[in-house]
Amino acid sequence: MPDATGLELLAQDLREADAESVLDTLHFRDRGTLIVHPPAIRATLLRLRAKGYRALMSVHGVDYYPEEPRLGVHYELLDMSALDRLTVKLRVHTDAPVVESVTPDWPTADHQEREVYDMFGVVFEGHHDLRRILMPEDYEGHPQRRDFPVGGEPILFTFNEAQGTAYTQ
Amino acid sequence: MSTYREMEESITMAPVERLESDDQEQELLTLNMGPHHPATHGVLRLLVTLDGEVVRDLKPIIGYVHTGIEKTAEDKSYWKAIPVVERMDYLAYYFNAYAFCGATETLLGVDVPPRAQYLRVIHMELNRIMSHLVWLGTSALDLGAMSMFWYCFRERETILDLFEQSSGQRMHTRYFQVGGVIEDIPHGFEEKLRQFTALMPKRVGQYRDLLHRNEIVLQRLRGVCPLSEEKLLELGITGPLLRAAGNPWDLRKAMPYCSYGDFDFKIPVGTQGDNYDRYAVRMAEMEQSVRIIDQAMDGLPEGPFITTDRKVALPPRHELATSMEALIHHFKLVTEGFRVPPGEVYFPIESPRGELGCFVRSDGSSKPARVHMRDPSFVNLQATAPMTEGSYIADLIATLAMLDPVLGGIDR
């Protein structure tokens, strides 16, 4: 984990390449986090890859409801030779949740970006096959969002089917 | 086109070029394998495009056992979320529980007593052996070796008995708690564990005698469906699959957690990255796990088995009768649960299948605002297509077995 100083230096390097790219840094429980301007995500991750963070271990989504911008996408980077981890985060609004896909650089993000799209509705531009992965294809809504109720899933009981009634809550 | 296919219109059936041959007419066949197929190791559906018997393209379709565990966990207090997350990867429940507890402990800043760490190591390594035994039994079954399955499940039974002895449950034990483990190991546990650790290396030797130089195993596995280390890293593959390709990446050694640094063990690696290496690496891992268990039992420190921080862990039962504060805290912990300071943590560990990372976001309340598991099976599944393209469909079955996916973990 980069220490607080190392993290600032890293952020400084990234800002030199693109002044807008890094919005903030965060050092929490010995783990470094960079908060990145959403349009700069792909370029920033590539710059970090050149610095040794060659493995992208996880991509996951978060809903910060009721805070705005609501939707977050987190990238967990790993440097296998320096044994170092770094988290890169970005936040987008729900009305235009578009993020550039990193799958051309990191094929591992394929399934994970699809999951974030499925669960949170973040659209990854440039993903070659962006469709739902865990929920059915014809499913409506994004179930991991915080305003999506638990138990909001309509259930068709055999009883209702026999009765000719529709889905029940 | 049936209505069912219409719903899945976006899945392109055959995006591969037809191979031209001079004299014979060739046709591509798209075959649906699963979701209910004994060789898919769960409810995994594969759309396979075949050119004769050769796999040209493969698309895994998942989500059949998606139960919304991550969503459910958001609705439970931290200690009640443990049994829920345990049910993700149902062959590695101790690992799921540890990843979640570890993330929560990091958020809380709670120190886990050494005895609890050692007890966790013992149980996680037993779980690793158990998971590999299920893998070995079912994989051998896929290759046509029936009796291996019974031998493996015989040893697995002993491990489940040990789990039952320490926690009362055979599967999904809820033994790990935030701050430690729920109870100390009972009398007789060590004796039974020692019997097992003395026996297990012999058993692995017997499995080796049956399989290692077995003509059928060699022909089915050696040189079949290899994938280079570089390609595996690109796809984010971890665990035995990566180690089989010669990269000794193991979080237990690379970034020790839970006092794994105290133990002397080796990381088995392969050289070719083919199915045989994947098989051999897991076999050797079982022996190494036995070594770790023995060392952990030898060096098991005295002391508490759960943190003494009464804001997090339940007070001992006897204190409830004499201490008002203990009673209040017991009541608060059981009803509301402990509150966790706001923050976000990603906690990665080495599960039997690779890097299992748990992401927990706390908003300061007693329920997690987001729980996410980076499940190794989910990521590793992406390697099926590059591994099997151009190989026979029979080798696809063998490769899927050597990939060791657990659909409970993939779909969550």
Side-chain angles (χ1 to χ4, degrees):
Chain A
M1 327 290 151
D3 53 14
T5 333
L7 187 67
E8 288 308 323
L9 288 170
L10 197 63
Q12 196 54 45
D13 279 359
L14 292 170
R15 279 189 187 120
E16 266 167 34
D18 178 1
E20 300 282 289
S21 60
V22 180
L23 299 177
D24 202 2
T25 56
L26 188 71
H27 203 256
F28 176 70
R29 301 272 188 257
D30 296 330
R31 284 161 175 82
T33 304
L34 293 173
I35 295 161
V36 168
H37 189 49
I41 183 66
R42 197 176 153 194
T44 309
L45 287 185
L46 277 179
R47 276 183 210 117
L48 286 167
R49 173 143 91 172
K51 287 187 185 298
Y53 295 96
R54 300 192 56 82
L56 178 65
M57 294 322 284
S58 177
V59 180
H60 47 254
V62 185
D63 185 357
Y64 288 93
Y65 180 82
E67 292 166 38
E68 283 292 339
R70 251 181 74 181
L71 300 175
V73 183
H74 295 183
Y75 302 81
E76 300 289 343
L77 293 174
L78 169 69
D79 185 343
M80 280 187 174
S81 45
L83 305 178
D84 199 7
R85 281 182 191 273
L86 181 72
T87 310
V88 178
K89 299 178 183 176
L90 62 85
R91 299 265 290 260
V92 283
H93 286 278
T94 35
D95 42 353
V98 184
V99 179
E100 196 178 357
S101 169
V102 297
T103 45
D105 312 320
W106 272 287
T108 174
D110 181 358
H111 272 190
Q112 301 178 66
E113 283 187 353
R114 277 177 66 188
E115 190 193 338
V116 177
Y117 164 71
D118 190 358
M119 294 297 165
F120 294 94
V122 178
V123 178
F124 289 93
E125 235 168 26
H127 190 288
H128 64 97
D129 186 23
L130 193 68
R131 56 192 162 83
R132 288 188 180 276
I133 187 162
L134 293 178
M135 303 305 289
E137 286 241 324
D138 55 348
Y139 195 80
E140 279 173 30
H142 301 287
Q144 279 282 356
R145 287 196 180 177
R146 295 283 278 168
D147 50 3
F148 193 96
V150 176
E153 177 69 19
I155 303 159
L156 182 62
F157 290 98
T158 326
F159 163 76
N160 301 115
E161 209 172 20
Q163 297 265 306
T165 44
Y167 286 92
T168 51
Q169 289 287 345
Chain B
M1 199 189 282
S2 69
T3 34
Y4 190 65
R5 274 295 308 149
E6 267 169 42
M7 273 156 54
E8 298 181 322
E9 250 178 312
S10 65
I11 303 166
T12 40
M13 293 288 270
V16 267
E17 290 286 310
R18 232 186 80 179
L19 289 186
E20 292 300 324
S21 68
D22 314 329
D23 46 354
Q24 280 175 320
E25 188 77 17
Q26 282 191 320
E27 209 179 324
L28 289 176
L29 170 74
T30 301
L31 186 76
N32 183 57
M33 205 174 101
H36 299 289
H37 191 284
T40 55
H41 293 246
V43 267
L44 170 66
R45 184 172 155 217
L46 297 168
L47 272 184
V48 197
T49 309
L50 294 171
D51 180 3
E53 262 193 81
V54 178
V55 178
R56 289 280 168 229
D57 191 32
L58 179 143
K59 280 197 167 58
I61 300 170
I62 56 176
Y64 288 93
V65 282
H66 174 64
T67 42
I69 290 177
E70 291 175 1
K71 183 83 176 171
T72 312
E74 287 175 16
D75 211 34
K76 308 226 173 291
S77 48
Y78 283 88
W79 69 280
K80 285 181 183 169
I82 299 170
V84 186
V85 295
E86 269 189 330
R87 277 154 177 79
M88 289 186 178
D89 185 341
Y90 45 76
L91 287 180
Y93 31 91
Y94 278 104
F95 293 91
N96 295 331
Y98 179 65
F100 177 75
C101 290
T104 313
E105 283 153 10
T106 315
L107 280 169
L108 282 163
V110 163
D111 285 327
V112 180
R115 189 177 177 84
Q117 294 193 16
Y118 273 57
L119 287 175
R120 283 176 172 187
V121 167
I122 291 171
H123 284 88
M124 280 196 284
E125 291 309 316
L126 280 172
N127 194 168
R128 192 183 307 274
I129 299 174
M130 186 277 251
S131 169
H132 281 355
L133 282 171
V134 174
W135 156 80
L136 182 62
T138 51
S139 302
L141 205 58
D142 284 350
L143 299 177
M146 188 78 180
S147 45
M148 269 317 289
F149 186 78
W150 309 122
Y151 294 138
C152 289
F153 270 61
R154 176 186 60 193
E155 266 66 74
R156 176 179 181 261
E157 203 60 21
T158 320
I159 298 178
L160 292 186
D161 284 347
L162 281 165
F163 288 168
E164 194 176 7
Q165 211 174 347
S166 64
S167 67
Q169 297 287 329
R170 296 166 72 77
M171 292 180 80
H172 313 302
T173 55
R174 209 175 72 92
Y175 185 64
F176 293 177
Q177 296 294 303
V178 175
V181 296
I182 195 151
E183 232 174 326
D184 211 339
I185 44 171
H187 290 295
F189 181 88
E190 183 179 354
E191 192 192 342
K192 208 157 174 221
L193 184 76
R194 295 289 190 188
Q195 280 171 9
F196 172 76
T197 54
L199 183 69
M200 192 61 204
K202 287 184 202 139
R203 293 295 191 209
V204 176
Q206 289 173 356
Y207 303 155
R208 281 231 176 85
D209 290 345
L210 279 168
L211 297 172
H212 239 51
R213 286 168 200 277
N214 185 315
E215 185 64 23
I216 301 169
V217 171
L218 288 176
Q219 288 201 10
R220 287 297 304 278
L221 298 182
R222 184 162 279 183
V224 173
C225 298
L227 204 59
S228 67
E229 182 196 340
E230 197 185 338
K231 187 87 184 149
L232 287 168
L233 285 173
E234 232 174 59
L235 288 165
I237 315 295
T238 42
L241 295 174
L242 181 62
R243 292 195 281 274
N247 187 330
W249 179 255
D250 189 324
L251 286 175
R252 291 176 293 173
K253 274 267 196 241
M255 298 171 163
Y257 53 89
C258 200
S259 59
Y260 266 110
D262 296 359
F263 308 115
D264 173 33
F265 63 101
K266 291 193 172 74
I267 307 171
V269 287
T271 49
Q272 308 294 316
D274 58 359
N275 276 344
Y276 189 78
D277 276 351
R278 290 168 197 149
Y279 146 81
V281 161
R282 287 200 181 91
M283 288 289 266
E285 268 183 23
M286 286 199 269
E287 290 171 324
Q288 295 304 321
S289 291
V290 171
R291 284 184 64 194
I292 299 176
I293 295 168
D294 265 334
Q295 290 172 52
M297 204 64 230
D298 288 339
L300 189 66
E302 291 297 321
F305 54 84
I306 193 161
T307 175
T308 44
D309 185 347
R310 291 281 148 69
K311 292 281 176 193
V312 175
L314 290 177
R317 195 77 202 162
H318 65 86
E319 273 187 26
L320 297 187
T322 50
S323 159
M324 190 63 207
E325 282 67 35
L327 191 65
I328 291 169
H329 277 82
H330 187 277
F331 179 76
K332 284 294 279 180
L333 283 173
V334 171
T335 50
E336 192 201 359
F338 47 84
R339 290 188 188 177
V340 175
E344 295 174 329
V345 152
Y346 175 76
F347 193 81
I349 60 167
E350 186 74 27
S351 97
R353 275 160 275 281
E355 175 170 325
L356 175 75
C358 186
F359 170 79
V360 177
R361 171 176 176 249
S362 168
D363 54 4
S365 71
S366 63
K367 291 172 181 177
R370 167 91 168 118
V371 178
H372 172 78
M373 281 280 185
R374 182 260 190 218
D375 195 275
S377 306
F378 183 71
V379 180
N380 291 359
L381 191 68
Q382 298 180 97
T384 10
M387 273 179 190
T388 53
E389 264 162 32
S391 64
Y392 289 114
I393 188 160
D395 292 339
L396 161 67
I397 303 293
T399 308
L400 202 62
M402 291 303 144
L403 204 75
D404 191 21
V406 170
L407 270 290
I410 291 176
D411 289 346
R412 284 158 282 148

